[in-house]
Amino acid sequence: MTRVDQGAVPMAEVWRGGLLESTHLGHAVICDARGIVQAWGNPAAVVFPRSSCKMIQALPLVESGAAAAVGLTDAHLALSCASHQGAHLHVEMAGRWLANLGMTEADLRCGAHEPADREERDRLIRAGDAPCQLHNNCSGKHSGFLTATRHLKAGPEYVEIDHPLQKAIRAATEEVTGETISGWGIDGCSAPNFAMSLEGLARSMAAFATAREGHGVHESAMHRLAHAMAQYPELVAGEGRACTELMRAMGGKVAIKTGAEAVFVAILPEQGLGIALKVLDGNSRASEAAIAALLVKLGVLDAAHPDAQKRLNPIQKNWRGLVTGELRVAPGFV
């Protein structure tokens, strides 16, 4: 097993006063259906994909027939792949989803946390209310988990590693990555997260990119999930977030997804390519710069678009508005 810190290369830099202040190291891989197209760092580095793999975790929801059985729309599927802000849009949709299943917020196993969406956070404070599990950024994924669990007639503790749903997710993970998982850990939302090589993660994104509707249950499920994400970027993350803004900037042609600890993936159907990257220090400012640079390199993101400019070599200012430095894509990366 290759440690994540082996063979990492500079991906982003922070400059202040004309001097290099910080460097972010990491790995990135671009794959097509045949394998690696280009790589920086070590493709064999083993990573936890964290939330970047939610479309893989949603495969049993679609492949089992559970989504069709309860009439889930593409909007529901986008939410099932989301790390959302906990905005009213997200909370209300997840709540209605559960109600339509005859379930409640108490059936979720993701835990509660304060929403990242400021408007919803302030509403809770004014009302004297505490956040609930619907505010959890993974409540859409867990609503999908509950939908699949009910369809499978399995027990309520769907985040347990030996639960039928998690066994199905593990099988789906190994199928699309083309490798045996390297281990597993517990994610922030309490669900198992399966470790894999960065190459395997990129290969799985290439599988989503090349999947075609009507080419069997597996490919149709992958195609539908990737399409849903690209069509509903506001559900996948939220206003101001890189996933939402960059997918909008690309006109719904590409699906991208971040994960905790600076993981990022992209699905490029027209090019038949998948991207996966990991920044070692877990800093999202670097992973957002790196994914934007790769999307520009591949011709799917306009470098001049304002939402690309926010991530590519942005000027840094202090609280008085004075320019203090800039974040740069490292020389030699892309």
Side-chain angles (χ1 to χ4, degrees):
M1 185 185 300
T2 303
R3 281 173 48 122
V4 72
D5 57 347
Q6 293 179 350
V9 299
M11 296 174 73
E13 301 174 342
V14 178
W15 287 74
R16 184 186 302 266
L19 297 175
L20 177 64
E21 183 173 33
S22 300
T23 300
H24 299 283
L25 305 178
H27 316 275
V29 184
I30 303 173
C31 281
D32 63 13
R34 295 178 298 277
I36 295 177
V37 173
Q38 195 168 359
W40 297 262
N42 191 344
V46 172
V47 303
F48 282 111
R50 304 299 296 274
S51 287
S52 76
C53 70
K54 284 184 177 177
M55 70 293 289
I56 300 175
Q57 293 174 309
L59 278 172
L61 168 65
V62 183
E63 289 181 334
S64 69
V70 296
L72 295 187
T73 64
D74 282 355
H76 288 102
L77 295 185
L79 192 67
S80 75
C81 298
S83 298
H84 62 69
Q85 294 284 83
H88 176 74
L89 169 72
H90 308 118
V91 174
E92 195 268 341
M93 186 174 179
R96 279 191 289 109
W97 183 348
L98 293 177
N100 289 339
L101 294 175
M103 295 181 174
T104 70
E105 178 262 354
D107 292 300
L108 296 171
R109 296 292 183 267
C110 52
H113 63 70
E114 184 178 273
D117 181 80
R118 289 189 176 184
E119 185 175 335
E120 179 65 9
R121 181 202 63 186
D122 292 349
R123 185 195 67 79
L124 289 172
I125 293 171
R126 287 193 300 268
D129 291 337
C132 70
Q133 293 186 95
L134 295 174
H135 293 98
N136 188 298
N137 72 98
C138 295
S139 66
K141 179 177 82 170
H142 282 248
S143 296
F145 282 174
L146 281 172
T147 305
T149 295
R150 192 180 77 162
H151 189 76
L152 295 170
K153 296 180 172 58
E157 303 306 322
Y158 59 84
V159 295
E160 297 298 329
I161 189 64
D162 59 352
H163 190 277
L165 175 62
Q166 297 306 327
K167 289 180 178 179
I169 291 171
R170 176 173 181 157
T173 300
E174 294 186 337
E175 181 175 6
V176 296
T177 60
E179 62 185 40
T180 302
I181 66 161
S182 299
W184 66 279
I186 299 174
D187 212 335
C189 68
S190 299
N193 199 245
F194 298 114
M196 60 193 67
S197 72
L198 202 67
E199 177 186 353
L201 182 57
R203 188 164 49 240
S204 72
M205 295 304 107
F208 276 88
T210 56
R212 296 294 176 261
E213 192 172 12
H215 285 208
V217 173
H218 184 60
E219 281 204 31
S220 293
M222 288 194 290
H223 172 81
R224 189 179 176 196
L225 287 163
H227 176 78
M229 292 175 66
Q231 293 304 304
Y232 292 94
E234 70 279 3
L235 294 177
V236 174
E239 301 308 320
R241 293 274 301 282
C243 289
T244 295
E245 291 189 343
L246 293 178
M247 282 194 282
R248 283 177 178 160
M250 292 182 287
K253 294 182 177 181
V254 175
I256 66 173
K257 183 71 186 71
T258 190
E261 300 302 325
V263 182
F264 234 117
V265 300
I267 300 167
L268 289 69
E270 291 185 2
Q271 292 77 14
L273 297 175
I275 303 173
L277 67 87
K278 162 72 177 177
V279 175
L280 254 60
D281 62 13
N283 197 311
S284 61
R285 70 182 180 187
S287 61
E288 290 178 9
I291 194 67
L294 288 170
L295 293 169
V296 168
K297 170 185 173 66
L298 294 172
V300 293
L301 177 63
D302 180 2
H305 192 286
D307 290 326
Q309 285 292 301
K310 281 176 67 174
R311 279 90 196 178
L312 291 169
N313 307 331
I315 298 298
Q316 296 188 325
K317 296 182 179 182
N318 66 14
W319 294 109
R320 289 185 61 206
L322 301 177
V323 173
T324 59
E326 66 177 319
L327 175 70
R328 302 177 186 174
V329 175
F333 179 64
V334 308

